[in-house]
Amino acid sequence: MKTILAVETSCDETAVAIVNSDKQVLAHEILSQAEHKKRGGVIPEIASRAHMEHLSGLIKSAVEKSNLNFCDLNAIAATSGPGLIGGLIVGTMMAKAIAHVAQKPFIAVNHLEAHALVIRLLHEVKFPFLVLLISGGHCQFLIAQDVGKYIKLGETLDDSLGEAFDKVAKMLGLSYPGGPLIEKLAKKGNGARFKLPRAMIKRSGCNFSFSGIKTAVKNLVQKLEMSEQDVCDVCASFQECISDILLDRVSNAIIMAESLISKSMTL
């Protein structure tokens, strides 16, 4: 049985977990930095300072909850990128320091690869499998062939989906992060009221484009008086548009993945 202390500081959340090779999470601590809400987005310098302030306490708490000592761990892992450089430095240096003092191996983890593989922590998913990776500034389709071995099928040609949600929310006068607020207001809205552009659908491949949707929302905001119901209807129409795009792109990605996987199996 292997046990690893893992540190994540790639953006505005400070997280620590202790996980074993039997796929058990022995302890987990997370702190979300609420101070970014009033600024309308993540400020890298503030985020990295918050990581410095809270990370050691979260690590201590996680170790205590797991009923383990540092000497019981087999390795120390940390997100090494991509992400905000200041936060990555804080988490990586802390993990390396612990690894050095405890004389344990240090494991640098790619943020996007962790997203792609986390399903295997929860379910018995065998390679190869198709991944839709939507995380912060990233939006892409991958075939996960094995650990460290991936084929990219498509990606966003401009903004990521997360950025589109946050920017649309800002246009509507909503706070950060935009996704949960748009989802909440969309439940009160009429998704059929505004016809927003479904970029790239009914085309070959599985690339994304979300810049046109932002422009369309911006034009609506400038044209309407933006009553409370207008905001709800824009949110609902925006979410319906995004859903249509995702369904179309996922359908294409599945066909592409099945073709590539079947070819590789016959070689």
Side-chain angles (χ1 to χ4, degrees):
M1 182 75 70
K2 304 292 184 182
T3 305
I4 293 178
L5 168 68
V7 175
E8 152 60 16
T9 56
S10 64
C11 193
D12 62 333
E13 290 185 329
T14 313
V16 178
I18 297 178
V19 185
N20 65 25
S21 54
D22 200 29
K23 299 184 178 183
Q24 295 177 315
V25 179
L26 304 181
H28 179 224
E29 295 288 346
I30 185 168
L31 181 127
S32 298
Q33 300 173 11
E35 54 263 41
H36 298 287
K37 286 187 176 182
K38 57 188 176 185
R39 293 176 171 84
V42 178
I43 308 300
E45 175 66 18
I46 294 175
S48 59
R49 288 182 181 275
H51 290 312
M52 290 179 63
E53 181 180 353
H54 299 290
L55 181 56
S56 59
L58 294 177
I59 291 173
K60 180 180 179 182
S61 178
V63 171
E64 289 176 351
K65 286 184 178 180
S66 69
N67 293 318
L68 298 174
N69 296 311
F70 286 110
C71 61
D72 299 319
L73 301 172
N74 297 100
I76 314 297
T79 305
S80 61
L84 301 178
I85 186 64
L88 292 171
I89 289 173
V90 172
T92 300
M93 291 300 99
M94 175 68 81
K96 283 186 174 182
I98 294 173
H100 177 73
V101 173
Q103 297 186 328
K104 305 293 181 180
F106 168 76
I107 302 172
V109 178
N110 181 283
H111 178 189
L112 301 186
E113 184 172 31
H115 281 300
L117 298 181
V118 70
I119 185 67
R120 286 167 52 84
L121 180 66
L122 305 173
H123 304 281
E124 295 297 326
V125 177
K126 296 181 180 180
F127 294 110
F129 58 90
L130 177 64
V131 178
L132 169 56
L133 201 162
I134 301 176
S135 169
H138 304 89
C139 190
Q140 56 190 224
F141 282 106
L142 304 168
I143 295 177
Q145 296 180 304
D146 204 337
V147 177
K149 191 175 181 181
Y150 307 91
I151 299 174
K152 184 166 67 176
L153 300 181
E155 62 185 340
T156 180
L157 302 180
D158 37 61
D159 282 358
S160 71
L161 185 53
E163 289 171 329
F165 266 89
D166 286 337
K167 289 177 180 178
V168 166
K170 190 172 183 178
M171 293 176 196
L172 297 174
L174 306 177
S175 63
Y176 174 89
L181 294 172
I182 288 177
E183 181 180 10
K184 181 180 179 180
L185 294 175
K187 295 177 181 179
K188 306 175 184 178
N190 176 11
R193 181 179 172 189
F194 302 113
K195 191 68 175 177
L196 299 175
R198 270 73 169 161
M200 306 295 290
I201 71 169
K202 298 183 180 179
R203 294 190 188 182
S204 60
C206 55
N207 286 331
F208 298 95
S209 174
F210 299 112
S211 60
I213 306 171
K214 293 189 309 171
T215 302
V217 171
K218 181 180 179 180
N219 291 337
L220 282 175
V221 171
Q222 292 175 343
K223 184 173 70 173
L224 300 171
E225 294 182 2
M226 296 310 296
S227 66
E228 183 177 340
Q229 189 58 51
D230 288 336
V231 173
C232 293
D233 290 346
V234 171
C235 289
S237 299
F238 173 73
Q239 278 206 160
E240 190 169 303
C241 176
I242 294 298
S243 297
D244 289 344
I245 292 172
L246 288 177
L247 285 172
D248 179 88
R249 302 288 85 189
V250 167
S251 297
N252 281 12
I254 290 172
I255 294 171
M256 293 172 66
E258 287 178 339
S259 175
L260 285 171
I261 291 171
S262 62
K263 285 181 182 178
S264 66
M265 293 177 69
T266 57
L267 294 177

